Amino acid sequence: MNRLSSLHQSSGSSVSSDARASLGRDLILTADDFNRIRALIYQHAGIVLAEHKQEMVYGRLAKRLRQLGIRHFGDYLSRLDGHPDNSEWEIFINALTTNLTAFFRESHHFPLLAKHARQCQGRMRVWCAASSTGEEPYSIAMTLNDALGPSSLAQQRFEVIATDIDTEALAKARAGIYPWERLAQLDDDLVHRYFLRGKGSRQGQVRIHPDLASHLSFSSLNLLSSHWDLTGPFDAIFCRNVLIYFDEATQQRILGRFIPLLKPNGLLFLGHSEHIAAQSTVLLRCGQTVYGLPPGSKRKTHGLTTEVKKTSGSPKES
């Protein structure tokens, strides 16, 4: 670790209060640097970083700075700020996006999805808007296949479109390979039907069955982008444990864009710590953090009154 003398040498001047805050570290993150990081991640990903997240930010970005041979966070940020086409943006965003997920997380949603699937006519289409490393969209696909019957895979009766801003998480999702321990809470029959056990170098791992995986597509999508490269309408949209990291204006804008993408009887699934205010004139509560359009709705986005709050826990720290 660098001490006071090395900090003097690197700065060429007396040690500032910001530099003193970095004592015991090999990199220097000033208060101004941290505020720039907060502004940049908000502008590009909509994430609101709280003031007490400075230690977390240091921990997540320090490895990248060391790889690049950069000691000052300010120098790293200069590579990003004003250079929107720099490929480093992808690494920056990935580093500040944590993906905490599990198979059939918030299990109360999946029976409602299954019931909805059995009532739908034609091919079932679901968008998972924050797919992380894939556990959620694969859980959706398993639920749809079980609800629609044993021939649903062969007859292509459903598809799941999975997107996320984190490209590293998406790569893991596409691979569909997980440690055996991730299945500990799943029913044995479910594991037998939808997973393949690894052998040799893959021992201790499982892979999603290719027949199920063929019904999913994964792509990168930033919910803040002006254009979403996907086509509705959808029978259901999952956007769970994401909105609580946006400010109110961003929440309103994203929810308003979901509505035209829902079928008239479509469902919107939010996270356990998110809800839409009861005074909403567009979306009606259909279950625990599940919302739908009123009968006969024309899916207008105006008049949407939302209040998405974090009520308990911290499903995804950013």
Side-chain angles (χ1 to χ4, degrees):
M1 296 292 183
N2 294 310
R3 299 302 181 192
L4 184 60
S5 58
S6 62
L7 284 172
H8 272 297
Q9 293 170 2
S10 65
S11 63
S13 60
S14 61
V15 181
S16 67
S17 60
D18 284 330
R20 284 195 294 272
S22 293
L23 289 177
R25 295 173 169 175
D26 60 327
L27 307 175
I28 297 175
L29 173 65
T30 69
D32 287 343
D33 295 336
F34 177 59
N35 287 330
R36 285 178 70 190
I37 291 170
R38 294 177 67 196
L40 291 173
I41 196 64
Y42 175 76
Q43 292 167 8
H44 288 264
I47 296 172
V48 178
L49 276 176
E51 293 182 2
H52 68 275
K53 298 293 187 180
Q54 184 164 336
E55 290 294 325
M56 182 204 78
V57 166
Y58 180 92
R60 294 188 183 181
L61 290 176
K63 180 179 179 181
R64 180 57 178 167
L65 266 70
R66 296 186 190 107
Q67 290 174 341
L68 296 172
I70 299 174
R71 291 197 59 243
H72 293 259
F73 276 76
D75 295 337
Y76 175 71
L77 296 175
S78 294
R79 295 191 176 195
L80 300 173
D81 208 358
H83 304 281
D85 297 327
N86 192 331
S87 59
E88 189 65 30
W89 275 111
E90 182 177 307
I91 299 172
F92 174 77
I93 292 173
N94 288 350
L96 295 179
T97 305
T98 299
N99 296 278
L100 178 60
T101 186
F103 288 104
F104 292 94
R105 188 180 181 209
E106 302 188 39
S107 58
H108 59 278
H109 280 160
F110 294 97
L112 186 57
L113 175 65
K115 179 181 178 181
H116 187 58
R118 288 190 289 267
Q119 295 172 344
C120 284
Q121 301 295 321
R123 193 169 187 235
M124 183 86 173
R125 301 183 74 238
V126 178
W127 175 26
C128 178
S131 68
S132 184
T133 49
E135 288 89 337
E136 180 169 296
Y138 286 126
S139 299
I140 292 170
M142 286 183 261
T143 300
L144 295 178
N145 189 57
D146 285 353
L148 296 172
S151 63
S152 59
L153 286 177
Q155 296 178 1
Q156 300 286 316
R157 292 195 60 196
F158 69 89
E159 65 173 326
V160 179
I161 292 88
T163 65
D164 202 281
I165 193 174
D166 189 330
T167 54
E168 291 182 359
L170 282 170
K172 294 178 181 178
R174 288 190 189 96
I177 298 173
Y178 303 95
W180 174 256
E181 293 76 17
R182 300 302 298 270
L183 312 186
Q185 304 301 318
L186 299 187
D187 181 80
D188 289 343
D189 177 65
L190 201 69
V191 173
H192 175 74
R193 288 187 292 119
Y194 293 120
F195 295 87
L196 301 176
R197 300 189 71 163
K199 298 179 181 180
S201 62
R202 291 290 189 182
Q203 191 170 359
Q205 296 179 315
V206 295
R207 181 165 65 96
I208 295 290
H209 198 291
D211 289 347
L212 185 74
S214 66
H215 287 66
L216 292 90
S217 62
F218 294 92
S219 60
S220 177
L221 187 144
N222 185 342
L223 291 173
L224 262 65
S225 296
S226 58
H227 173 70
W228 292 347
D229 189 18
L230 76 171
T231 304
F234 296 100
D235 296 278
I237 296 175
F238 278 69
C239 186
R240 305 195 300 177
N241 306 312
V242 176
L243 296 179
I244 54 174
Y245 298 100
F246 299 147
D247 60 20
E248 184 177 352
T250 305
Q251 294 169 3
Q252 296 253 9
R253 186 165 63 252
I254 291 173
L255 284 167
R257 293 178 69 183
F258 282 154
I259 293 171
L261 293 173
L262 280 172
K263 290 183 180 179
N265 62 340
L267 297 178
L268 172 63
F269 293 82
L270 301 182
H272 74 278
S273 58
E274 301 163 328
H275 72 275
I276 295 174
Q279 66 265 33
S280 171
T281 60
V282 177
L283 293 171
L284 300 180
R285 191 172 185 271
C286 301
Q288 185 178 345
T289 60
V290 182
Y291 300 87
L293 295 167
S297 171
K298 295 182 179 180
R299 296 182 290 171
K300 295 179 180 179
T301 60
H302 64 270
L304 177 63
T305 303
T306 61
E307 182 186 358
V308 181
K309 294 182 176 179
K310 182 176 180 179
T311 56
S312 64
S314 181
K316 178 177 176 183
E317 186 177 87
S318 296

